[in-house]
Amino acid sequence: MNATNFPEGKTLTKDDYVIICGDFGLVWGGDNAKYDKWWQYWLDEKPWTTLFVDGNHENHELLSSYPVTYWHGGQVHKINDSIIHLMRGEYFNIGGYNFFTFGGAFSHDVIYRKKHISW
């Protein structure tokens, strides 16, 4: 996200949320750990807080290794101070709006993926 594609980003604060609905893709670990950390730091430096619901293309084992905490009424994994994983099946009240989180689907391209690497 840059100012050209997301000019609203310049007006946001850490009390504002950008929500990614599935396939966040920045918590993979393994060979991608250095890449993940770079992008996580990049997002942490943005003026907003990033929330995400996992999709079917995530490293679910790594996500589940993060400590579970409660935030705005539901269970989350805090990836860092500015990136929060909204866990599936949870109910959140954010800014006066209610959200129910669920995620994942059957991957139509599963035959081309490798477990724990790209699936």
Side-chain angles (χ1 to χ4, degrees), residues 7-49:
E8 299 85 355
K10 292 190 292 186
T11 66
L12 301 178
T13 71
K14 289 295 183 186
D15 293 327
D16 294 309
Y17 306 108
V18 173
I19 303 174
I20 299 171
C21 300
D23 293 349
F24 178 62
L26 295 181
V27 184
W28 276 101
D31 292 341
N32 292 323
K34 187 175 179 180
Y35 173 85
D36 292 352
K37 292 297 179 194
W38 191 92
W39 283 107
Q40 290 170 14
Y41 175 80
W42 183 84
L43 277 174
D44 196 37
E45 292 296 305
K46 297 301 175 195
W48 62 82
T49 299

Side-chain angles (χ1 to χ4, degrees), residues 4-112:
T4 302
N5 296 328
F6 187 49
E8 299 85 355
K10 292 190 292 186
T11 66
L12 301 178
T13 71
K14 289 295 183 186
D15 293 327
D16 294 309
Y17 306 108
V18 173
I19 303 174
I20 299 171
C21 300
D23 293 349
F24 178 62
L26 295 181
V27 184
W28 276 101
D31 292 341
N32 292 323
K34 187 175 179 180
Y35 173 85
D36 292 352
K37 292 297 179 194
W38 191 92
W39 283 107
Q40 290 170 14
Y41 175 80
W42 183 84
L43 277 174
D44 196 37
E45 292 296 305
K46 297 301 175 195
W48 62 82
T49 299
T50 302
L51 310 177
F52 75 96
V53 178
D54 58 273
N56 59 330
H57 297 127
E58 308 284 1
N59 184 334
H60 294 280
E61 287 182 33
L62 181 57
L63 278 175
S64 67
S65 73
Y66 283 81
V68 175
T69 187
Y70 286 87
W71 182 84
H72 288 261
Q75 294 185 81
V76 300
H77 294 118
K78 281 191 80 174
I79 307 306
N80 65 28
D81 289 338
S82 299
I83 302 173
I84 301 171
H85 170 226
L86 305 175
M87 294 174 64
R88 293 181 184 195
E90 296 295 314
Y91 175 84
F92 298 91
N93 184 288
I94 304 170
Y97 294 94
N98 297 316
F99 295 87
F100 174 72
T101 55
F102 61 98
F106 178 75
S107 181
H108 67 280
D109 60 354
V110 70
I111 61 173
Y112 304 108

